[in-house]
Amino acid sequence: MSTHAYDDSHEEQIGHSEAGVEQKHLGEKTADWADGRLGIYSLAKANLRKIFPDHWSFMLGEICLYSFIIIILTGVYLTLFFQPSMGEVIYHGSYTPLQGIKMSEAYESALNISFDVRGGLLIRQIHHWAAIVFVAAMLVHMMRVFFTGAFRKPREINWLFGFLLLFLGMFDGFMGYSLPDDLLSGTGIRFMEGAILSVPLVGTYLQMFLYGGQFPGNDIIPRFFTIHVLLIPGIMLGLLVAHLILVFYHKHTQFAGPGRTEKNVVGMPLMPVYMAKAGGFFFLVFGVIAFVSAIASVNPIWAYGPYRPDQVSTDAQPDWYMGFSEGLIRIMPGWEIRAWGHTLELGVFIPLVVFGLMFVVIAIYPFLEGWITGDKREHHILDRPRNAPVRTGLGVAWIAEYLILLVGGGNDLFATHLHMSIDAITWTCRILFFVGPVVAFMVTKRWCMGLQRKDKDKILHGRETGTIKRLPHGEFIEVHAQLPQEELFRLTAHEQQAPAQLPPAVDENGVKRKVGAVAKLRAKLSAGYFGPQSQIAKPTAEEHAEITAGHGHH
């Protein structure tokens, strides 16, 4: 009996072992089948151990990615309950103050999501807050890329992808908060219609094409829904994938430091270190957005009521990332030109042109700086902002301009809350629109050069120790300690490019050269970027050796 029991157990173990081997073989066969068609073995080997540098500012791009994923997930849920229709209905839902009010099906469904769908209001809040965080993270991420020079060759195309993601994200956000058809969103759509109608010759055609008739029409919400849910997210998803592919292909940029060159990357591998950190960070971002959504209300559509063309919200304000466009409109004088039976509304058209030009300049800046510098090399080591004073000054000037326009776009709220004259605020913004960026540029440039002088002094004389020493002849001095080699390398690793020079006035044959206006302009801009008034010369090895040998060093 006992032997038989042993034999049965032994046969059962053998059966399990054979099943395991068979299952293992099946898994291997499946993997081999996929590898033969997709090349997953070589793909995984090449990318799963890819090295990424570690710096807190690199997480800004991750916030963009994670908030976009949150937007997609919550957007799919909201799509199941939203009705993108402008058909009129009478509301009989849970929100008592609006019962019996005539409204569109879009607004009614948005109310039902907020009050009748389980978890609907929280999902709406998360979706809206994630969109705000997405655009904010993209803007800050692009500024990090700008200030550190991470857009230089070979990453100009990736800069364009990032710019398009920011641009499309802003307009998709605008269309998103226009979908509920409440009084606030209707005011924003009306604002957009006015901007389109100001375009000479084709403005009316564009308005009829987009709105499907006279404002408000019956097609604007269904069309915005299709654009918001399908068209723009599809384009953004493609751009995002292309953006990440180029990050993998070009390898990640890194700050200067010992062992870091243009040829390598110092950091941790994608698997398992970086993936573990990225996974945890995703849930952290999701948790923060969910927490903010649970305690801070955004876009309370029930407080505005349904949209009616004969009404307007007195404190209507767009989301912050579109506020500067309204600021351009509000600070612009109401100029008009009437001729031959037509009216050109310059008070709206000129801000619309400036709005477009601001985005064009952002998009082409990497190519513009590349043309000025004439630098054709690849750059994988980042700049410290202080070592590029002109570029840093331009970035701060743009931020100053943006903040000025944001104040101009909310001039009525500043006037009512601070008990100020709205005319005084408007005129202040008009003056600062021209003066503010110039002042910001000059102050930032001088600040960067002051920091360069401080770095040079630290390299030559070391850091202050706070120890006071009295010399034999009675002089009191502060003892300086030499910087460690790692810090010396970090402070001296940056390159200092010489400004471009015009060719000699005559060639080797004595013939006068013809120098075009473009070449002269490039030389002047290059001198502005890299001339002695824009950078402090780095200390040489001879200077450092002389001072550290005891000549004048304390």
Side-chain angles (χ1 to χ4, degrees):
M1 291 293 294
S2 60
T3 305
H4 183 68
Y6 172 80
D7 290 340
D8 288 346
S9 174
H10 183 63
E11 290 176 0
E12 185 177 354
Q13 291 177 6
I14 294 175
H16 281 299
S17 177
E18 290 177 351
V21 171
E22 184 177 347
Q23 184 177 8
K24 180 180 179 181
H25 288 170
L26 179 61
E28 288 182 353
K29 289 179 180 179
T30 303
D32 291 339
W33 182 89
D35 178 64
R37 289 152 181 82
L38 302 175
I40 58 173
Y41 289 166
S42 58
L43 186 66
K45 184 178 180 180
N47 293 302
L48 292 183
R49 298 296 295 176
K50 192 173 183 67
I51 302 299
F52 280 87
D54 196 13
H55 193 269
W56 68 266
S57 64
F58 300 156
M59 293 192 299
L60 295 170
E62 294 183 46
I63 296 176
C64 301
L65 175 62
Y66 302 153
S67 56
F68 183 76
I69 294 174
I70 296 170
I71 291 171
I72 296 298
L73 294 176
T74 54
V76 170
Y77 183 85
L78 295 174
T79 303
L80 300 176
F81 303 99
F82 183 71
Q83 297 293 331
S85 171
M86 298 188 72
E88 291 188 344
V89 295
I90 303 297
Y91 180 69
H92 297 290
S94 302
Y95 189 63
T96 305
L98 289 178
Q99 286 186 357
I101 301 297
K102 184 184 293 186
M103 60 185 62
S104 67
E105 289 184 88
Y107 186 62
E108 181 192 37
S109 65
L111 290 175
N112 290 335
I113 290 173
S114 301
F115 297 109
D116 299 312
V117 175
R118 185 179 297 274
L121 180 58
L122 179 61
I123 299 298
R124 269 196 66 234
Q125 295 275 110
I126 293 176
H127 188 73
H128 201 127
W129 273 113
I132 294 174
V133 171
F134 176 59
V135 179
M138 281 197 296
L139 181 61
V140 178
H141 175 59
M142 286 193 69
M143 296 311 296
R144 196 278 300 173
V145 171
F146 178 84
F147 284 124
T148 59
F151 55 80
R152 294 171 294 175
K153 184 182 177 181
R155 296 177 178 83
E156 301 96 333
I157 295 178
N158 224 9
W159 170 270
L160 287 178
F161 287 162
F163 161 76
L164 289 174
L165 283 169
L166 175 62
F167 181 79
L168 292 174
M170 292 172 59
F171 277 93
D172 205 34
F174 169 78
M175 293 182 182
Y177 72 69
S178 299
L179 288 180
D181 197 33
D182 58 288
L183 189 57
L184 177 63
S185 68
T187 304
I189 296 176
R190 185 68 160 180
F191 179 89
M192 179 180 177
E193 186 213 22
I196 294 174
L197 288 174
S198 70
V199 179
L201 302 179
V202 298
T204 53
Y205 297 98
L206 292 175
Q207 188 272 342
M208 294 292 287
F209 174 77
L210 182 61
Y211 287 78
Q214 294 292 333
F215 181 85
N218 296 316
D219 299 330
I220 188 62
I221 296 299
R223 291 184 179 185
F224 272 21
F225 180 78
T226 303
I227 296 172
H228 174 73
V229 174
L230 295 177
L231 180 60
I232 294 183
I235 297 173
M236 292 179 68
L237 185 60
L239 289 171
L240 183 60
V241 171
H243 185 79
L244 294 177
I245 289 174
L246 287 181
V247 169
F248 267 77
Y249 177 71
H250 291 143
K251 71 186 181 182
H252 205 290
T253 54
Q254 58 187 343
F255 286 98
R260 300 176 182 179
T261 68
E262 300 284 5
K263 304 292 185 180
N264 68 357
V265 178
V266 178
M268 303 300 291
L270 178 64
M271 283 289 290
V273 178
Y274 189 79
M275 289 299 294
K277 293 171 63 177
F281 191 48
F282 168 75
F283 289 107
L284 178 62
V285 172
F286 205 151
V288 170
I289 292 177
F291 176 75
V292 172
S293 303
I295 64 172
S297 177
V298 61
N299 196 25
I301 58 172
W302 54 88
Y304 306 130
Y307 177 69
R308 287 180 50 180
D310 60 337
Q311 294 182 356
V312 63
S313 298
T314 54
D315 60 347
Q317 295 289 324
D319 280 336
W320 66 271
Y321 49 84
M322 296 297 288
F324 77 103
S325 61
E326 184 157 340
L328 284 167
I329 298 287
R330 294 195 183 192
I331 69 173
M332 178 69 190
W335 295 344
E336 291 182 353
I337 295 178
R338 292 188 176 92
W340 300 290
H342 298 279
T343 301
L344 181 60
E345 187 59 58
L346 297 179
V348 180
F349 179 63
I350 290 179
L352 186 64
V353 172
V354 174
F355 178 79
L357 287 177
M358 291 176 68
F359 280 105
V360 169
V361 171
I362 294 173
I364 68 172
Y365 182 83
F367 305 95
L368 180 62
E369 183 173 309
W371 172 72
I372 294 172
T373 61
D375 190 359
K376 306 299 182 183
R377 299 168 301 165
E378 290 191 1
H379 292 274
H380 303 288
I381 299 294
L382 298 173
D383 288 334
R384 298 177 75 199
R386 67 184 63 184
N387 295 327
V390 175
R391 181 202 299 151
T392 304
L394 290 174
V396 174
W398 185 89
I399 294 175
E401 188 77 278
Y402 184 90
L403 294 176
I404 291 167
L405 292 176
L406 203 59
V407 173
N411 56 2
D412 53 342
L413 295 182
F414 280 97
T416 54
H417 286 69
L418 302 179
H419 306 289
M420 300 173 64
S421 168
I422 191 170
D423 290 333
I425 296 174
T426 302
W427 272 103
T428 301
C429 291
R430 287 173 179 173
I431 296 172
L432 290 178
F433 178 81
F434 298 99
V435 177
V438 177
V439 174
F441 173 82
M442 296 175 63
V443 171
T444 303
K445 181 182 173 183
R446 299 302 301 173
W447 195 349
C448 290
M449 296 186 69
L451 291 174
Q452 287 187 36
R453 291 188 183 94
K454 179 182 178 182
D455 287 346
K456 183 174 182 177
D457 184 70
K458 286 172 64 178
I459 294 169
L460 294 177
H461 301 286
R463 63 177 179 84
E464 299 175 352
T465 63
T467 302
I468 305 300
K469 180 180 180 181
R470 184 179 182 182
L471 298 180
H473 59 276
E475 179 186 359
F476 288 92
I477 62 170
E478 181 180 12
V479 178
H480 287 208
Q482 279 296 306
L483 298 178
Q485 289 298 318
E486 180 179 350
E487 183 71 5
L488 286 174
F489 181 87
R490 188 178 69 89
L491 295 179
T492 58
H494 62 282
E495 296 180 347
Q496 289 191 319
Q497 190 166 341
Q501 300 293 330
L502 289 174
V506 295
D507 60 17
E508 62 276 6
N509 299 319
V511 180
K512 184 178 180 181
R513 296 181 185 270
K514 293 183 178 180
V515 181
V518 175
K520 293 180 180 179
L521 175 62
R522 178 175 177 267
K524 288 183 179 180
L525 292 174
S526 182
Y529 266 73
F530 307 114
Q533 73 279 8
S534 299
Q535 59 184 3
I536 304 300
K538 291 194 300 183
T540 63
E542 292 76 13
E543 289 177 321
H544 182 263
E546 180 183 1
I547 290 181
T548 54
H551 300 286
H553 178 68
H554 301 304

